Amino acid sequence: MKKKILLIATLLLIAVLFFVNGKLKNSATPIKKAPTPSQLKEEVISVYSDHYSSISTDINPNWEQETVMSEIEVEGDRVMSYSNLNYQGIDFPYTDVSTMNYLHLDYYTVDATEFKFFLIADGENAYDIAATHGIKNGQWVSIDIPIRYFSNAGRDLTEAVQFKTVGNNNLFLDNLYFWKEPTTTDANASLSNLSVNGQTIQNFNTLKTNYNIELPYGTKNLPKIIATPSNELAAIAISSEENLPGDTTVLVTAQDGITTRRYTLSFSVDPTPSEGAPNPIQNEKNVISVYSDSFNSIATNINPGWGLQKTVMTEIEINGNKVMKCSNLDYQGIEYKPTNISTMEYLHLDYYTLDTTKFKFFLITSDNEKVYDVANREGIINGKWIGVDIPLDFFFTEVPDN
């Protein structure tokens, strides 16, 4: 009776020990596959992974290693198994990985205590996973090695060609690939600066898209435009009319390739001449002057408000002489006291323009107004002062112009 009890007790003890050991001991071969990579394929150069198109050409090159390498399947994913590991290589074509940010790998082990991973690219250097991260047993572990670790050590990232693993005991590897941070798609189509001939446009605002710019007098060549996008990855297209005055368009296309913004620069040339009108040669005794710095003049109002005129009249100085400047001209008047001009022979005026195509001059008397069409009768000459002497008889004896 005692022997039977002892035998039963012994069997129970052995069963308990196996049970406990079974709970404590990890499986040497992974029963779960490695984590599924989250990187987009566009951001990856894969050497070994079932989740991407991979470039490895030999995952078991003969480097006289002691490692026994085999490829197994875990939940449908292929995994590299390294038994009796001392070192093991992987070959792939020369590949430029200089635009990548990380080198990724997943490993599984239950007994490895040493683990270094090498990138071979015009030389080699190791990333010591055991020393840097420690080794975790019985689970898949993901490692992302900053690619700059290798470039800082002198590797030529444009010529990556092999991996090498150095360690001991048993190790499983999967999902070996290079990856980069995903590219953000930006919809910013604004400019941070817009310059003309090296100077930022006055009152430039990134949200303001239309500018009127007056170039210095005498400008003949189109100005140099530099447009700086707020996002350096946005595209800039500049188109200009061939001549001045004219418009230049700056089209900004955002990084997303869809969003656009158009800036328009309307250029004109300052029509103000650099020199004043010629000095009159007439003797003041023979002149009744309405407007001139060379004589005593009788004008009482050089800018009367005559209805809905669009003309902007300003009085400017050129070399010390006052000049009337009429911008956006439609019509403009000058007033003076009723004056007897019957003893005079001519009405004189000096004009300067760069762009006028129509020019009529009216003499207004107490009972009528007569017009002399300068453009039609004499033509308009641009870019210099022109003196016109109209016979007074024209206004009183000839049929006036319409």
Side-chain angles (χ1 to χ4, degrees), residues 202-221:
Q202 187 176 7
N203 299 321
F204 171 75
N205 184 302
T206 188
L207 299 178
K208 182 180 178 182
T209 56
N210 291 284
Y211 297 89
N212 294 314
I213 301 171
E214 187 176 72
L215 299 172
Y217 167 80
T219 300
K220 296 181 180 179
N221 297 324

Side-chain angles (χ1 to χ4, degrees), residues 312-331:
V312 178
M313 202 292 287
T314 54
E315 191 174 38
I316 63 174
E317 281 199 8
I318 301 175
N319 294 335
N321 288 326
K322 289 183 288 185
V323 174
M324 291 182 291
K325 178 181 178 181
C326 298
S327 302
N328 195 35
L329 175 64
D330 55 352
Y331 61 91

Side-chain angles (χ1 to χ4, degrees), residues 172-222:
F172 298 85
L173 289 179
D174 196 6
N175 298 324
L176 279 64
Y177 58 84
F178 303 94
W179 65 279
K180 62 183 176 181
E181 300 285 356
T183 303
T184 56
T185 301
D186 192 289
N188 188 345
S190 67
L191 293 177
S192 62
N193 191 49
L194 187 56
S195 67
V196 175
N197 290 335
Q199 298 293 321
T200 298
I201 293 176
Q202 187 176 7
N203 299 321
F204 171 75
N205 184 302
T206 188
L207 299 178
K208 182 180 178 182
T209 56
N210 291 284
Y211 297 89
N212 294 314
I213 301 171
E214 187 176 72
L215 299 172
Y217 167 80
T219 300
K220 296 181 180 179
N221 297 324
L222 295 171

Side-chain angles (χ1 to χ4, degrees), residues 15 31 53 66 106 124 216 218 227-229 233 240 261 265 269 285 288 304 355 364 379:
I31 58 175
S53 295
E66 297 176 2
D106 294 316
E124 65 176 45
T228 305
L233 297 179
S240 300
R261 179 172 293 173
L265 286 63
V269 177
K285 293 186 299 183
I288 298 174
D355 55 8
I364 302 174

Side-chain angles (χ1 to χ4, degrees), residues 16-210:
V16 170
L17 286 174
F18 274 113
F19 178 75
V20 174
N21 285 340
K23 293 293 287 184
L24 294 175
K25 184 177 181 180
N26 292 315
S27 175
T29 301
I31 58 175
K32 296 287 187 181
K33 64 182 179 180
T36 300
S38 60
Q39 284 74 31
L40 297 174
K41 64 181 180 180
E42 294 83 3
E43 315 295 344
V44 167
I45 298 174
S46 176
V47 176
Y48 181 88
S49 176
D50 282 344
H51 299 281
Y52 306 108
S53 295
S54 298
I55 62 174
S56 59
T57 55
D58 192 347
I59 61 174
N60 192 21
N62 182 9
W63 290 0
E64 299 184 356
Q65 66 269 28
E66 297 176 2
T67 306
V68 178
M69 184 274 177
S70 60
E71 194 173 32
I72 65 173
E73 279 200 8
V74 179
E75 293 188 320
D77 274 7
R78 288 177 296 173
V79 174
M80 291 182 291
S81 171
Y82 297 166
S83 300
N84 192 38
L85 173 64
N86 63 337
Y87 62 90
Q88 177 68 33
I90 300 176
D91 292 339
F92 53 91
Y94 281 98
T95 302
D96 184 351
V97 297
S98 59
T99 61
M100 300 292 109
N101 301 126
Y102 298 95
L103 191 165
H104 177 91
L105 62 89
D106 294 316
Y107 77 84
Y108 180 99
T109 186
V110 296
D111 55 7
T113 58
E114 299 175 8
F115 182 14
K116 296 179 181 179
F117 196 83
F118 291 71
L119 172 64
I120 300 174
D122 191 22
E124 65 176 45
N125 64 287
Y127 185 82
D128 193 331
I129 292 173
T132 305
H133 301 278
I135 296 178
K136 296 180 182 179
N137 291 335
Q139 60 181 303
W140 282 104
V141 179
S142 296
I143 301 291
D144 289 289
I145 307 170
I147 201 73
R148 65 177 179 274
Y149 174 85
F150 298 104
S151 60
N152 290 344
R155 301 288 64 78
D156 183 353
L157 297 181
T158 66
E159 294 190 352
V161 68
Q162 291 170 322
F163 290 150
K164 183 172 73 172
T165 301
V166 173
N168 63 357
N169 297 328
N170 302 287
L171 185 72
F172 298 85
L173 289 179
D174 196 6
N175 298 324
L176 279 64
Y177 58 84
F178 303 94
W179 65 279
K180 62 183 176 181
E181 300 285 356
T183 303
T184 56
T185 301
D186 192 289
N188 188 345
S190 67
L191 293 177
S192 62
N193 191 49
L194 187 56
S195 67
V196 175
N197 290 335
Q199 298 293 321
T200 298
I201 293 176
Q202 187 176 7
N203 299 321
F204 171 75
N205 184 302
T206 188
L207 299 178
K208 182 180 178 182
T209 56
N210 291 284

